[in-house]
Structures are given as C-alpha cells and as structure tokens.
Amino acid sequence: MNAGDDLDNELVLRRALRGNRRAFAQLMQAQGDYLSRTAHLYLASETDVQDAISATVLAAMRGIKNVREPAQFRSWLTRILIRQCYQRYAQKAAETDDAALVAMPVASRGATSEEKLDLLAGLRQLNDANRQVLLMYYYNDLSVRAIAELTGQGESTVKSQLRRGRRQLKEWLGGDYFED
Amino acid sequence: MKTKFVQWVNQLQPERPADSAQTQATIAAALHQGGQHRRRTIGIIVAAAAAALIVGSGIVVPSVNQAFTQVPVVGRFFALFNDDMGSIVESSGRDQKLNVSRSSNGMKMTLNSALMQGMSVAITGTISGVDGQKDDWFNYWVAKGGVHFEQDSMDLRRIGHGKYRFYLNGTVPYAASQHAVKLPLVFDDFIGHSGRWAFNLVLKPNAATKRKLSGSTQLAGGRGRVQLVGVESYAGGTSLLKVRQTVQQAGDGLAVTTISANGNDYMLDANAIALDNGKGKTQLVGYKIKTLPAAVRSLKLRGYYTAPELSARLRLDKLNGVTVQAKRSATSFTIHKVTKTGAVVKVLFSWQGSRNHYQFSEMAKNEQFPLALMATTYRDNGNDSVFGDDYMDIPDTSEGSQDHSIHYRLMPGKKLIEARFDTSKKTGLRDLPLSKLQLQVNFLYNEGISFKNVTVSLTK
C-alpha cells in the first residue's frame, strides 16, 4: 500500500469517526478480511464467525463516535469483535460436556512440525479456554485486566489460564513460543 | 519483534480468508440493518442499495481509472477521486469544461469540469492560496432558483502547497435532467477557511438514447424479483439501467452489487437511484452502468437479499403482561411491568431468543440495550433524530462518561431485567404520561441471502 492509499484510508477513517455513514461503510468493508481472520482464531463454527462479525459491525456503528483518535480505531474494533467471539465461545462451552473435550495428545511428542501444526489446527475446534486467553493476551495484546473484564473472570483466573496454556504449548511443541 | 506465538498463529491463517465474499455480504447486511434500525424514511430498496454501495466501492483505486490513459493526466480531474463514471466521461471528452474562477480572502477557487449523465451530476474544482488545513470539509449550498440537488458524496485532495482539488457529486430530479439545469453554487468554507465563492452554473445533459427492456428473473430462492424496464444511454459512455425490484415483504431489501455481461463488469455505482416513491414491495430504481455493447443479450447479476425484522413499537400504557413475539425468529420480549414515577420510567422485562445479537448477560452488564423509549409523536429521520429530546436508547458509554440516564439491572432470580430511563433531561419525554410514550423492542433479526450469477435476458 502506498502513501496515497494511506492518506485515503486516514481520510475515510476520520470521516467515519465524525459520523459520516458512507465513510463508515467503506471503513467496515475494508476491515472484512481482518475481522474474519481474527474471528476464526476464536471460533470454530462459520455461523458463529459471521454472527460475531455482524454483531461487531452493529456495535461499531453505534459506538464509533466514542473513538477519539483514529489510531485507536483498530484496537477498539478488535475488542468489540473479541467480546462478541468470546460470548459465543462461552455459550458453547457452557453447553458442552467437559468429558467430551479432547485432552492434549501425548503421541504428538513424536510428531513432525507439520503434523503438529495440523493437530493444532484441528484442536481449534475445541475453543479451549486457555487458547482463548492466550490469543487475547499474546496475539491481540489485551491486558490481563481487559481480559478479565471481557470474560467476566477474575484476574487470577486469567493468569492461571495463561500459565496453563503456555505450559501446554511448550510441552506439545517444544521451545518457548512466547519469547521475543 | 513479534513473539514466536504471533508468528506461529499468523502461519496458521490463510492470507485471504476463504469466506471473504460471505463476510462482505455479512457486513453489508449489518450496515443495511443498522440503517433500518432507526426506521429510515427513505425507500426500502434505496436503503438496501445504500449498503450495497460499499460492497461495490472501496478504498483502493479501481482498475477503470488505469484503463483510460488517452486523456493526459493534467486533464483528468475525476480519476483523482475514484469516480468511475467521471473517468469514462472525461476520457470520452464529453465532460463540460467550466474553467470559471472566483477569489475570496486570498484564495482562488476554480471550477474545472462537470458532467451530467442523466440524473447524475459531478463537479470538480481546484483551490489555491489555502494557508493550512483546519478540517477535512468544504461547505456549499445551492442558491435560490437552482435545481434540487441531492448530494451523494464530496471529497478533496491536497495537490500542492496551499492547493487542493475537490469534488462533489449527486443527482437532480429526472424531469429536470431532460433539460439544461441551473446550479447556482455558493461555497462559504474550505477546510476551515471562510470565504464566499459563488458560481452560476448551467449544465447541459448529454444526449441520450432510450431503449425498452423486458427481461425478468427471480432471485434468492424466489423471494425477490427483478424486471428490466429499460436503459438510457448517454453520450459519454455511461447508461442508466432501469430495474423494477420486488421483494417478498415490505421492509425486505434487495441490492444488486454487480452487473456483468460476457465476463465483464459493467456496474459503475452500486448505489441505485430511486426512480419512484418506492412504497410497498416494489420499487423502480436505476443502476449506473457502463454502456453495454449492442451485442449483449443478457446480464448476470450478483447481490444480496435481506429479510429483516428489526423491531416493534408499542404504547407503554398497553404493555403490562404483554409478550411481543418476533415473526421471523424465535425472539420475544415479555414486558412484566411498566411504571412512571416523576421523570423515571421503569420497564421490567424478560427476553428469549436463540440466534440474534443480544445476550441476556450483556444486557445485565449494561453493555447491550435492546429497548428504546420515545414519544408516540417521534419521527425517525434516519439520521440524528435519535439524539433529539423525544428519544432515548443508549447512554453515553464513552470513557469518563457520567451518563446514567439509562440503566439496566438484573433482578434477583436472574430472569428479569429492569430498564430504567431517567427522562429528566429529555424535555420531549419527561412530562408525558405512559399513553404518550412508546417502547421499541429490538429483535435485530436479519437474514442475508446472497445471490450470484443470476442471468436475466434483456428481453423476454
């Protein structure tokens, strides 16, 4: 993307923040792939993904004027989306029998990297609580406090989930995936 | 430097999601729904098409601008603003060279070029001598005696030190578009700088040929129908395709986002123009397209159909013990009790629903607000009427806000919520009895059905 495109995008964003509906529509269209990729990290069902995106657009439409600075927009929108995703995950998790959740396969220790990635991709179907919190913290840069507010859990619970998730990944994949 | 975790997660994701098209349809449907939520008074099809606009347009420069290179860059005014129609007309030499200037407060404004293709009007200009940019807008109005001009969009670009190019477009009424139109424009502000630049424009319509069409087809599993009525082709290379669109239920939306023939996309603007009043289930609209070659016998259409059920409004004095059931989904609101003490209205309700955008837990946390309170005389203008003195739906939730005028409380037992509306600062609500107040319950149900490659012959 060149400097001219950046300027166009900034103008659209500024107009959207000022309540210009056409600009808001353009802005949301441009976020489509980002919203989809992010939602797919948290949700396994395509129906839930689209539902979460739809709810995010509506929530953003109502609250866009509360965004003070253009630089805040992406993180603000991400929080809305993650909240919508987590709601749907939590609802499904509450409906799911814990006994049905697949434990981390011990046999994966001998698997190739490619096989492990496949396993990981497959494990996305679990919507595991640890994975949710890991993504929020390490991938989407939310603070422990923000995650606690979003998920309705205590901060100590969030920290426990982060520790368990890190340990799980380290046992499984080897190495430390959280170092810079 | 990103952590390995971030890199690993990125590796797991495809560059472009497989559901990209579906996501765009979801976003468009949600935007349409969001606009409808406030019960816009414009026609149903126009509302849907307004959302469809953003499906067809985007921030990236469209390829048509790169296809027309015959006109020297110095003469290309419309291309700068991604105006596909303007680029075509300009390249054909059918734009109207204005070259008229006015000066005010040390700034010189020149209207460079204009086009008139049927009802569509666009104007570009340049201004110099501008000392600094204070905001992103310019302001103008059409003076007395001018034609009614419905603005669609406006834009500006900095092209040099103190120099900007600007653009505006819109439509004039069909009857007026058959003759030369008077457009006396007065600009009084440019990016925060006051001035007065007045122009008495007279724009001539490009010659047009009209052809009747008669093909029709059903869409979205038979819920919608489009009938081609005719096409007006203008000297300049663009046309207006007139289509009669019918939906299953009043309130449903039908938007065509791509019109193609023989593998080429001819759509110029997915924002359809309403050609009649559009009440009920049928509306006549016009789509701006590139002029079709004579050999084209059929078109392929792509778009989406929306079947919303957004809300219901009921008088507050008739709601005690009433269950309001949505017709298109399983959502229902049961209003257990409504009271008004002084300026405070309390609504005790329960909610049931499966697939919708509300969660009971979020309502209890004051993060979702499915109810709106308004006077029975409230008129939705589709824009800022929701900020008026006779309407309340959500409090100011921005950081640092002290707005507690609306508050939801989860009652003991966790099956009921009490919504409290403090109308003391709403002069249009606080003194009204329950019989003069109404409650809106939001179902926010919207089924979006996309249709692709639906063929319609130009004639039967």
Side-chain angles (χ1 to χ4, degrees), chain B residues 29-104:
Chain B
L31 288 162
H32 166 53
Q33 176 181 313
Q36 282 272 345
H37 173 47
R38 295 189 174 168
R39 296 212 171 175
R40 298 178 76 97
T41 54
I42 58 177
I44 52 167
I45 308 298
V46 175
L53 162 72
I54 58 89
V55 178
S57 68
I59 297 172
V60 178
V61 174
S63 59
V64 68
N65 288 332
Q66 289 137 19
F68 293 94
T69 55
Q70 302 94 316
V71 178
V73 171
V74 69
R76 293 175 62 198
F77 295 100
F78 292 99
L80 184 65
F81 298 103
N82 302 331
D83 182 343
D84 294 350
M85 172 180 274
S87 294
I88 291 172
V89 175
E90 196 168 55
S91 293
S92 71
R94 296 286 185 161
D95 57 319
Q96 301 175 39
K97 303 288 188 285
L98 302 174
N99 295 326
V100 56
S101 300
R102 300 284 185 270
S103 291
S104 177

Side-chain angles (χ1 to χ4, degrees), chain B residues 198-263:
Chain B
F199 303 88
N200 278 324
L201 295 183
V202 176
L203 299 181
K204 297 168 197 166
N206 287 114
T209 55
K210 300 176 187 179
R211 176 182 162 200
K212 282 190 178 176
L213 302 175
S214 57
S216 67
T217 188
Q218 291 193 323
L219 306 161
R223 296 198 201 196
R225 183 167 178 263
V226 294
Q227 181 184 11
L228 304 182
V229 175
V231 61
E232 282 189 18
S233 300
Y234 311 110
T238 76
S239 298
L240 187 73
L241 181 68
K242 295 182 184 177
V243 180
R244 185 166 284 113
Q245 299 184 165
T246 305
V247 295
Q248 192 176 57
Q249 266 190 46
D252 288 0
L254 195 163
V256 176
T257 57
T258 304
I259 297 173
S260 57
N262 300 327

Side-chain angles (χ1 to χ4, degrees), chain A residues 134-175:
Chain A
L134 278 178
L135 286 167
M136 289 183 204
Y137 187 79
Y138 287 107
Y139 191 77
N140 289 114
D141 290 328
L142 297 186
S143 66
V144 168
R145 185 174 178 181
I147 296 172
E149 285 174 0
L150 192 148
T151 60
Q153 302 177 114
E155 290 189 23
S156 56
T157 305
V158 172
K159 288 176 186 173
S160 296
Q161 288 170 340
L162 283 171
R163 274 198 298 274
R164 283 201 296 272
R166 286 179 62 146
R167 194 166 56 238
Q168 205 171 31
L169 277 177
K170 188 170 181 179
E171 281 178 15
W172 196 10
L173 295 172

Side-chain angles (χ1 to χ4, degrees), chain B residues 424-444:
Chain B
S424 55
K425 293 182 181 173
K426 291 284 183 175
T427 56
L429 294 175
R430 67 181 177 217
D431 299 322
L432 294 179
L434 288 180
S435 61
K436 301 288 186 193
L437 293 170
Q438 56 181 342
L439 189 75
Q440 176 172 303
V441 297
N442 295 323
F443 304 124
L444 288 190

